[in-house]
Each structure stands twice: as C-alpha cells, then as structure tokens.
Amino acid sequence: DIQMTQSPSAMSASVGDRVTITCRASQGISNYLAWFQQKPGKVPKRLIYAASSLQSGVPSRFSGSGSGTEFTLTISSLQPEDFATYYCLQHNSYPFTFGPGTKVDIK
Amino acid sequence: EVQLVETGGGLIQPGGSLRLSCAASGFTVSSNYMSWVRQAPGKGLEWVSVIYSGGSTYYADSVKGRFTISRDNSKNTLYLQMNSLRAEDTAVYYCARTPRWNDAFDIWGQGTMVTVSS
C-alpha cells in the first residue's frame, strides 16, 4: 500500500501569510494526487486535482505542484475563510490513501 | 444540479448490517467511478471502496469481505452494504464521484452517520 505523509501536521498562521503544505508518497504516484479542504462539520471540498489543476470556482491563491513522490499545496495569501484542515489523496493505485491532514489555524 | 444524497445511516449493534444509499442527480452513476469514503469522529478521511463504470470493485483491507459496493442503474443510485459491523466502523460515510481517472472525487455527498454500539 502507498503511505501518504503530510507536513506539518498543524500550523498557526496569520491572514496574509503564504502557507505551504507538503505531501509525500511512499512510492511514485505520477500526478494522481488531489487536495481537499475540510472545515469542521462540513463536507470535504476539492481544491486541486491532477496535482496542479485548480478546481473550478476555487480562488487562484490556491495552487498545487509536484509529481512522483513529493507534492505541495500553496496558499499565496491566507484569508480568514482558509482556516481549515487540508488533506491530500493519492489515487494512483488501490487502496487509495489520504494523508493524515494538516490543520491550519489562526495565530 | 449535480448532487449526491446519502441516506441509510443510524445506530446499529455490533455484528449487525446496514445498507447505505447514495442517490445521484444531474449525472449518471454508471458512467462514473463512484467511491465511498468514511471519517471516524475526530479523525481523518479513509477511502472505503470504489465501483468502476464497467462494474469492477475494490475495497480497503479494513472492510474487505464485510462490505459490498453496488449500484442500481435504473435508480441512478450507489449502495454500500455493510455486514458484520464493528465499533471501528463508526463514522460519517460519504459517497463521491470520479468522472475520469485524473479528475478524482470532484463531487461529494453530505454524508450519513453510522454508529456501531451496543
């Protein structure tokens, strides 16, 4: 099975900060990676697919990059509505696996 | 409007069975890969199962042999039959759509809560 790790597991940031979250796969997954945002009690929302494609309707301050085993989600200027938990997902091979999540809260 | 609506969750005793439903509107279930994902209280997301447009199915090891994914094309509905339920199956269960392999999990349902407890 492919293991996904995320770093950091949690972070405190201020509005306007540039935030970078890293997701690493235990083996190569090409670009079969998606990023999701989840707020407490809400449904996960896809932000990025195919590692770097921005989901329609998602603000352009979100971007994704990477291929193979290392991927990043960047928020160029953190907004109040961005405080949430972020998950990566590999869907290169079964079983699909999510990262453990990165919680971004207010500094 | 493209939408998924899950139903069927509830409180069930260990060892019991439950069937979850995921009704789709605005698109055809059988033309997409459809997955179930769950989230235990206070925990992260866990992929559970998928059914391909061609009918092939795959499962997480944690549910293999106990859960069965299926669909009813006439009702445009996805199902998850859950047998031999355990306390660790307690979670919110979401269904999600994948239109193409590299366009995964674009639409999610609102989730349905399953609680396994005596």
Side-chain angles (χ1 to χ4, degrees), chain A residues 1 31-34 36 38 42-44 46 49-50 55 87 89 91-98 100, chain B residues 35 37 39 43-47 50 52 58-61 94 101-106 108-111:
Chain A
D1 297 2
N31 69 335
Y32 298 120
L33 184 112
F36 299 87
Q38 188 179 33
K42 300 297 185 181
V43 178
R46 191 176 74 172
Y49 63 99
Q55 172 71 28
Y87 295 94
L89 163 72
H91 57 99
N92 177 75
S93 61
Y94 294 111
F96 292 168
T97 40
F98 288 89
Chain B
S35 287
V37 174
Q39 186 169 37
K43 302 298 184 182
L45 299 168
E46 179 187 17
W47 174 80
V50 67
Y52 279 20
Y58 295 87
Y59 299 91
D61 287 346
Y94 299 100
W101 188 254
N102 215 0
D103 188 11
F105 296 80
D106 66 335
W108 294 59
Q110 86 289 350

Side-chain angles (χ1 to χ4, degrees), chain B residues 29 31-35 50-53 96-101:
Chain B
V29 163
S31 298
N32 291 265
Y33 305 156
M34 298 296 298
S35 287
V50 67
I51 184 167
Y52 279 20
S53 51
R97 181 185 80 164
T98 294
R100 289 162 297 278
W101 188 254

Side-chain angles (χ1 to χ4, degrees), chain B residues 70-85:
Chain B
S70 64
R71 66 184 183 225
D72 184 329
N73 296 343
S74 68
K75 295 183 178 178
N76 207 30
T77 298
L78 176 74
Y79 300 101
L80 186 68
Q81 177 67 44
M82 304 186 295
N83 298 331
S84 303
L85 282 161

Side-chain angles (χ1 to χ4, degrees), chain B residues 55-68:
Chain B
S56 299
T57 59
Y58 295 87
Y59 299 91
D61 287 346
S62 58
V63 307
K64 200 174 295 182
R66 300 187 299 123
F67 289 12
T68 302

